[in-house]
Amino acid sequence: DESVQKVPIRKLARLQRPPHERVIVGLVGVQSNQFPRACDIAHAFQREGVHDILIGGFHVSGSIALADPDTMPPEIEAIMDEGITVVKGEVEGHWGDILKDVITDRRQRLYDFGEPKPDMSLQPLPVVDKEYLKHFMQSNYATLDLSRGCIWDCEFCCIINVHGKTMRHRDAEYIADTIRRNYALGVDFYFFTDDNLARAKNWEAFFDMLIRLREEEGIHLEFMIQADIPSYRMKNFIPKAKQAGCTKVFLGVESLDSDTLAAAGKRQNVAANARDCVAAYESAGIGTHVGYIIGFPTDTYESVMRSIDKLIYEVKPATASFFMLTPLPGSMDHVKLRQRGEWMAEDFNLYDSFHETTKHPHLQDGQWTKAYQQAWERFYSSENIKAILLRTQTERVNFSYESVD
């Protein structure tokens, strides 16, 4: 993780001592904006004499999944021609076979594990490295996923074309063993990274397990989740999330314009429900963080500013993040722009949702970037920060009194 570590390329390369010891480099979970750097690292290892290199993740998997039939995306073809192996899909159940191929000199140019998706129930979970956690501001923090996949059809998203639309999940009791082990190492806060935990079929068993750990074993966890807007209507979801230790939820609001949401394939969102959803979580003592996308085809500078005001004064989340609509490889947005022959930026470094990567019909001559920057400035104005702090304090006090009653 280069945000906190330097990759010791030469030191790692020197571990290779043929014929009995080999260095195998796996560049894992590479997203589109990380792809150029992943290639740089791969080339650096090659210059040091390491040639068993594999790259996988959302960029590779999504790009290949939605490429034209019998056509490999050019940047993927290029690294394959350079001797780098590409791994599409999820590697659970296949990793041992890949390693055997490498050590017997049968490594393939492409491993395609798109289908069938692996059963997740008892798959290995990440092992917490206490020394690694010391690199971060919070050394008590870790991540886990209960499930993969998403049931919705958002056209700007890659998830359904990589993890699929059928929800798969881990066994709750199996996760409990990992949580116990990590708790002994000082980990008591998690970000459960499921793209939509509310749609995991065993979310209730998962929350029940966390509640039991808290009440019977004294393992007091706090955690953050991601959920969709309709989740606030699910029976017991919010109360059990709170009882289990949930302190924050990320909600994909995306837009407050109903026509825009429908055009983007996000039909599960109704703009009017965003306010009720945020209120439901906040009143339960769970802080809300909404994601908001700027640059849908119908957006104008004026409409974006009106929507941000609506977000501030009507929806009233505790925090928010803003993103520029980006045609990520692996999304239907990318496919449609490619089919129409519209311009998209060639530099994948820009595909981080903070840069303009295509032309917009209404937000031109810098207006798109201006609207994006002003969304941040307007939401995090001193006036709104003060309102949030006063409102949050009041809601927490009310929640405490209601709990006593």
Side-chain angles (χ1 to χ4, degrees), residues 264-321:
K266 202 171 182 76
R267 295 174 179 83
Q268 71 272 22
N269 277 20
V270 177
N273 288 346
R275 179 190 59 199
D276 295 337
C277 179
V278 166
Y281 278 101
E282 291 284 349
S283 65
I286 298 174
T288 52
H289 185 110
V290 307
Y292 200 91
I293 296 176
I294 294 168
F296 285 111
T298 56
D299 282 348
T300 65
Y301 177 81
E302 292 75 19
S303 71
V304 170
M305 292 301 101
R306 286 195 300 270
S307 291
I308 300 305
D309 284 345
K310 192 173 182 179
L311 188 70
I312 293 169
Y313 298 111
E314 295 182 28
V315 180
K316 297 182 178 180
T319 52
S321 290

Side-chain angles (χ1 to χ4, degrees), residues 54-191:
L54 307 96
I55 296 181
F58 264 76
H59 182 78
V60 165
S61 301
S63 296
I64 298 175
L66 293 187
D68 294 329
D70 304 317
T71 301
M72 189 64 65
E75 74 279 5
I76 308 297
E77 187 75 44
I79 61 172
M80 291 169 62
D81 290 343
E82 293 166 352
I84 298 168
T85 288
V86 168
V87 182
K88 174 193 169 194
E90 299 170 45
V91 81
E92 284 93 346
H94 304 290
W95 184 232
D97 293 331
I98 293 176
L99 293 178
K100 288 178 184 177
D101 283 354
V102 172
I103 63 175
T104 56
D105 296 317
R106 293 184 290 112
R107 176 169 57 91
Q108 300 175 30
R109 298 174 78 232
L110 167 66
Y111 290 92
D112 188 341
F113 304 129
E115 296 293 342
K117 307 293 186 205
D119 178 1
M120 286 185 62
S121 55
L122 299 177
Q123 293 293 352
L125 284 153
V127 176
V128 167
D129 182 339
K130 202 168 184 180
E131 290 302 311
Y132 173 67
L133 292 179
K134 289 179 181 178
H135 289 284
F136 295 89
M137 184 173 67
Q138 289 180 263
S139 60
N140 65 326
Y141 171 90
T143 60
L144 287 176
D145 62 348
L146 168 68
S147 63
R148 292 183 196 156
C150 186
I151 65 172
W152 306 117
D153 294 302
C154 307
E155 297 196 349
F156 53 80
C157 188
C158 308
I159 294 163
I160 57 175
N161 300 311
V162 176
H163 288 322
K165 294 190 65 175
T166 300
M167 298 295 295
R168 294 163 290 129
H169 56 78
R170 302 185 190 275
D171 179 82
E173 293 306 316
Y174 183 66
I175 295 177
D177 290 337
T178 296
I179 288 174
R180 290 187 187 99
R181 185 167 61 247
N182 292 350
Y183 192 75
L185 297 174
V187 175
D188 59 8
F189 187 90
Y190 284 90
F191 173 26

